Amino acid sequence: MLDAAPNRPDLPAEIARRRTFAIISHPDAGKTTLTEKFLLYGGAIQMAGQVRAKGEARRTRSDFMKMEQDRGISVSASAMSFDFKTFRFNLVDTPGHSDFSEDTYRTLTAVDAAVMVIDGAKGVESQTQKLFEVCRLRDLPILTFCNKMDRESRDTFEIIDEIQENLAIDVTPASWPIGVGRDFIGCYDILRDRLELMDRADRNKVAESVEIKGLDDPKLAEHVPAHLLEPFLEEIEMARELLPALDPQAVLEGHMTPIWFGSAINSFGVKELMDGIGSYGPEPQPQRATPREICPEETKVSGFVFKVQANMDPKHRDRVAFVRMASGHFKRGMKLTHVRTKKPMAVSNPVLFLASDRELAEEAWAGDIIGIPNHGQLRIGDTLTEGEALRVSGIPSFAPELLQTCRAGDPMKAKHLEKALMQFAEEGAAKVFKPMFGSGFIVGVVGALQFEVLASRIELEYGLPVRFEPSQFTSARWAKGEKLALDKFINANKQHIAHDNDGDVVYLTRLQWDIDRIERDYPDVTLSATKEMLV
């Protein structure tokens, strides 16, 4: 996040009320359940669904792919917009599973803050740490929610210490749990001096609040059993002495994270977290771009594509580009310039999302996320403006860690396969390389589960059974250099050369030794493990 210059004008009220954030966590910490409760409190849905729904229970809104519903995990980032009090929340639920980390990394370029969900029993897990590091690279403000307090969980101080040590960030408690596991009765809201009590009977019911005047208020003893009250008062006394007080500026700069405790499945602690996002979360921020940064208060409209999802609605073979609005007030039917091709595009049917449900967006402001249905013109990293040649920068593409060759079950359908693979490559779901020698395609992914997702999607969406087979190559690097040096390098290493879906030269390697040899023998050629999604 960029530092707000002291002389920046105030944002228009419509933009200032927007909060655009992602939810990040390790798989199974309860991220999708929390998303559901956000929608419940925002009045967007009447009854919260469950990831592993049985019988009549509704399914979650954000897991819309067949595979997500079968396995009870999120595979694809989904966006949702809804109102809460005076705020407009744009929420992106990201996959927690590390095999889909690239989708998550890209999503984090399109939000202004992140809500980190931690499991009260497990604390900071490996994937949380990785995602946190990406937030750190972008200086994103982070708000923390410690979930599953109604189960046996660890000591509160222990959880806070672990966050401070592992993630090197100051933690300030916004609420404090009373009791733990079966004894968990609720939280004390430190910021508003209130006692919040949990109702275990109705999971969709908002918690009951009791206003308290300070910790010596006799009302406290009426609601909290004696065996829980004493340890709670001791802990909160220690917390006030040992932990820093909330500093809103430090939160915005990404140096401090406020932590709320609760239980998403019991709808507890969620409303306080949402109030916190409204009060302490950042307004829409300027976006890094070349040749200049884009400020949200500019009157001219601009936005960039951070994700493309093909076939969200299998009946229509559609592709939707998720666009984060960076500035201005967009109205339906506006003509915008597609900077990469320099062509005008009339945006006549933009959509607002509630996961897979969507409605036409008549307007959107800086900070909003809208979907633009298109037939392949828009790619990840594309910028749309009202004419100025700006390009939003910093959307990464990573070298795949696993490579396999992909063949169609029916050799006559090789052309169809090429089309399907190109579509997934543009969506960013996989890297597709066409080797100079030999037939077939080499598909590269970050995690093994992605091969299963691809095979299942190609079969479901294109009616094309495919098989993935091991490849002799283990990783790929993008090759860059002057034309002469590059041509000499390509001619000498033809059996290792492929082209990606943008036509860029890729060097396929078997061992680290291959990379070292190229660096030694061809000093004018650089091999890179990331590629900026700039076109």
Side-chain angles (χ1 to χ4, degrees):
M1 195 159 98
L2 307 167
D3 293 330
N7 55 358
R8 263 186 61 203
D10 282 346
L11 291 176
E14 264 305 324
I15 296 179
R17 76 183 193 97
R18 285 177 160 57
R19 298 286 181 272
T20 306
F21 59 96
I23 297 198
I24 60 171
S25 81
H26 195 83
D28 256 3
K31 187 169 41 158
T32 301
T33 308
L34 182 63
T35 305
E36 283 290 296
K37 300 297 171 156
F38 275 7
L39 298 178
L40 184 73
Y41 284 134
I45 56 175
Q46 298 309 305
M47 177 187 159
Q50 289 165 21
V51 177
R52 295 184 174 83
K54 291 193 179 84
E56 288 301 294
R58 243 188 22 72
R59 284 222 154 268
T60 55
R61 284 300 166 113
S62 51
D63 289 348
F64 55 83
M65 276 189 196
K66 179 153 175 20
M67 179 157 184
E68 295 181 308
Q69 297 177 354
D70 293 346
R71 290 191 172 219
I73 57 170
S74 300
V75 166
S76 169
S78 54
M80 282 149 267
S81 302
F82 55 94
D83 289 310
F84 174 70
K85 297 192 173 168
T86 56
F87 300 105
R88 174 74 170 173
F89 279 2
N90 294 304
L91 154 83
V92 188
D93 177 21
T94 61
H97 205 290
S98 60
D99 286 8
F100 306 101
S101 51
E102 193 166 340
D103 197 19
T104 308
Y105 290 135
R106 280 200 296 266
T107 303
L108 290 174
T109 59
V111 295
D112 301 313
V115 170
M116 177 166 72
V117 185
I118 285 178
D119 182 326
K122 296 183 182 144
V124 178
E125 297 172 85
S126 57
Q127 189 56 20
T128 322
Q129 197 143 0
K130 268 192 188 158
L131 292 168
F132 180 84
E133 277 154 19
V134 179
C135 297
R136 186 37 71 77
L137 287 173
R138 302 184 52 78
D139 287 335
L140 280 181
I142 290 179
L143 307 160
T144 305
F145 183 69
C146 184
N147 193 15
K148 305 192 182 180
M149 294 306 291
D150 57 323
R151 304 190 187 172
E152 287 312 315
S153 52
R154 286 164 47 186
D155 176 65
T156 314
F157 282 108
E158 215 179 288
I159 294 169
I160 291 178
D161 279 351
E162 189 172 302
I163 298 173
Q164 293 194 350
E165 274 173 34
N166 289 1
L167 307 179
I169 189 169
D170 289 332
V171 181
T172 177
S175 70
W176 199 266
I178 303 175
V180 67
R182 286 202 177 145
D183 287 342
F184 179 67
I185 60 158
C187 284
Y188 175 65
D189 183 338
I190 295 176
L191 302 177
R192 290 179 305 189
D193 218 4
R194 272 192 196 155
L195 185 63
E196 305 285 348
L197 300 172
M198 183 169 91
D199 179 3
R200 284 184 187 249
D202 182 359
R203 289 184 157 183
N204 283 336
K205 195 172 147 194
V206 180
E208 178 194 346
S209 295
V210 183
E211 200 127 346
I212 301 269
K213 304 220 169 5
L215 289 170
D216 37 17
D217 190 324
K219 264 202 270 177
L220 203 58
E222 290 169 29
H223 295 282
V224 181
H227 72 286
L228 295 177
L229 184 60
E230 206 173 312
F232 158 69
L233 289 171
E234 273 174 27
E235 283 180 11
I236 203 132
E237 205 49 52
M238 276 170 65
R240 288 200 158 148
E241 280 178 24
L242 298 173
L243 297 168
L246 182 72
D247 171 359
Q249 191 51 39
V251 173
L252 289 179
E253 287 166 5
H255 304 318
M256 172 181 273
T257 176
I259 183 168
W260 284 263
F261 293 86
S263 158
I265 196 122
N266 288 303
S267 308
F268 182 76
V270 178
K271 196 163 125 300
E272 291 70 39
L273 172 63
M274 291 171 82
D275 286 332
I277 295 168
S279 312
Y280 304 107
E283 303 170 336
Q285 293 296 309
Q287 296 293 334
R288 295 181 193 142
T290 48
R292 63 176 186 82
E293 75 173 37
I294 304 172
C295 293
E297 66 273 9
E298 291 172 26
T299 49
K300 289 237 161 97
V301 171
S302 64
F304 63 95
V305 179
F306 65 94
K307 172 183 168 62
V308 174
Q309 182 77 48
N311 308 330
M312 268 176 94
D313 182 348
K315 294 195 273 297
H316 294 298
R317 273 264 170 273
D318 64 342
R319 300 167 55 115
V320 176
F322 286 63
V323 176
R324 154 74 197 242
M325 304 309 295
S327 66
H329 178 201
F330 165 83
K331 296 187 186 69
R332 184 158 88 88
M334 250 181 153
K335 269 202 166 52
L336 294 177
T337 304
H338 182 208
V339 175
R340 173 167 56 89
T341 58
K342 303 187 178 59
K343 287 185 181 152
M345 251 185 106
V347 185
S348 49
N349 50 354
V351 291
L352 274 177
F353 297 104
L354 187 60
S356 62
D357 298 350
R358 43 178 123 160
E359 53 182 65
L360 269 181
E362 291 302 328
E363 58 168 8
W365 295 80
D368 281 338
I369 290 172
I370 60 170
I372 300 183
N374 68 95
H375 292 294
Q377 303 94 315
L378 291 176
R379 293 195 204 158
I380 293 171
D382 278 355
T383 307
L384 297 168
T385 67
E386 279 196 67
E388 193 179 345
L390 293 170
R391 288 178 169 180
V392 170
S393 54
I395 299 181
S397 178
F398 300 96
E401 292 166 25
L402 300 166
L403 298 174
Q404 293 199 353
T405 53
C406 179
R407 303 194 190 285
D410 177 353
M412 304 300 282
K413 295 208 167 151
K415 261 280 163 274
H416 295 325
L417 177 64
E418 178 167 2
K419 189 175 163 211
L421 288 176
M422 286 305 159
Q423 190 133 29
F424 290 129
E426 282 169 20
E427 192 182 299
K431 304 282 177 295
V432 176
F433 304 124
K434 181 90 182 92
M436 280 182 81
F437 281 141
S439 63
F441 292 89
I442 291 182
V443 176
V445 295
V446 179
L449 194 56
Q450 279 177 295
F451 285 127
E452 281 182 53
V453 174
L454 278 178
S456 110
R457 283 186 62 188
I458 293 173
E459 189 154 351
L460 273 173
E461 294 167 21
Y462 296 90
L464 202 67
V466 293
R467 54 178 198 276
F468 285 103
E469 296 163 352
S471 143
Q472 56 167 336
F473 300 113
T474 56
S475 88
R477 294 287 181 269
W478 283 280
K480 297 185 186 74
E482 294 293 321
K483 187 171 175 352
L484 276 171
L486 206 55
D487 288 349
K488 179 183 160 197
F489 159 72
I490 291 171
N491 286 330
N493 296 282
K494 281 186 176 157
Q495 65 279 25
H496 283 266
I497 301 292
H499 290 88
D500 69 6
N501 60 305
D502 296 326
D504 291 337
V505 177
V506 176
Y507 176 69
L508 300 172
T509 72
R510 283 186 291 240
L511 309 162
Q512 180 61 36
W513 181 83
D514 288 333
I515 298 175
D516 298 340
R517 179 181 67 86
I518 298 299
E519 284 171 353
R520 188 185 66 230
D521 296 354
Y522 300 93
D524 300 341
V525 172
T526 51
L527 297 180
S528 159
T530 54
K531 166 173 134 173
E532 180 107 341
M533 302 286 262
L534 271 185
V535 198

